[in-house]
Amino acid sequence: MAEHDFTTLMSALDSPLIVVTTADERERAGCLVEFHGQSSIEPQRYCVWLSKANYTYRVALNSSHLVIHFLTADDLPLAELFGTQTGDTVDKFAGLPVDSGPGRAPVLRQCPNWLAVRRIALLDEGGDHVCLTTEPVAAQAAGPFRPLRLSQAGHLRAGHAAQERPEPPTERAAPA
């Protein structure tokens, strides 16, 4: 398969961006996410893929809940904060109005469209991202909105590169 063809197809999708937040017993974390979507109607399920290199992934492994914040076209500064900084060195929540949601997951007050979910399964098939299958437990929608899309934030550079994930990779990701 030609990598260029795959990249062309995926770029055409122009995914909406979200911020995912979570907390464990000791800390809270959040990151900008491109890979996500509804995965079942009945029962309701939503999947989020987190980078293994990401601080939020490490916190999510020990958490029960996540909050998925659906960004609007006006939320580029929030996308920049959660997408270009790393929780390894920066408290992304400093100065932000935040409420505590299910499982103590942070709810960003400036995002009126969010979905709180309970983690029910994790799939690590060997790639640089892990799929968290979740069950919705609470939601808030402020009405129709224009989502912030990848094409509007393509200039942002991630706080961690995909290659920075912990070693060794899983057997399926190891070189043949």
Side-chain angles (χ1 to χ4, degrees):
M1 181 183 80
E3 185 173 331
H4 170 74
D5 293 340
F6 179 78
T7 302
T8 299
L9 291 169
M10 295 305 104
S11 296
L13 298 178
D14 201 15
S15 303
L17 298 174
I18 59 173
V19 167
V20 172
T21 60
T22 192
D24 65 13
E25 293 294 321
R26 298 171 286 119
E27 53 201 334
R28 56 190 181 177
C31 63
L32 185 66
V33 172
E34 175 189 358
F35 308 136
H36 61 96
Q38 182 178 355
S39 58
S40 176
I41 297 169
E42 185 58 44
Q44 294 176 337
R45 297 288 185 259
Y46 202 89
C47 288
V48 175
W49 285 261
L50 298 178
S51 170
K52 292 177 185 176
N54 199 298
Y55 178 79
T56 303
Y57 162 70
R58 295 190 300 275
V59 174
L61 288 176
N62 296 309
S63 68
S64 60
H65 291 78
L66 309 167
V67 177
I68 300 161
H69 301 84
F70 296 90
L71 301 179
T72 71
D74 297 326
D75 288 326
L76 186 58
L78 200 59
E80 185 171 5
L81 171 64
F82 280 91
T84 65
Q85 303 294 317
T86 173
D88 294 306
T89 58
V90 172
D91 178 2
K92 297 179 190 181
F93 300 94
L96 291 179
V98 176
D99 293 319
S100 184
R104 297 190 351 240
V107 178
L108 305 173
R109 286 188 200 155
Q110 71 186 78
C111 292
N113 302 296
W114 54 265
L115 179 65
V117 296
R118 184 178 63 84
R119 185 168 60 95
I120 59 173
L122 184 142
L123 171 65
D124 181 354
E125 48 64 58
D128 57 12
H129 283 67
V130 170
C131 177
L132 294 129
T133 301
T134 68
E135 171 185 46
V137 296
Q140 176 179 296
F145 65 96
R146 284 188 1 250
L148 179 67
R149 298 208 173 265
L150 182 59
S151 62
Q152 297 166 281
H155 63 284
L156 301 179
R157 296 294 160 239
H160 282 291
Q163 300 82 358
E164 293 181 54
R165 66 184 186 214
E167 292 291 335
T170 59
E171 303 79 42
R172 283 174 269 177

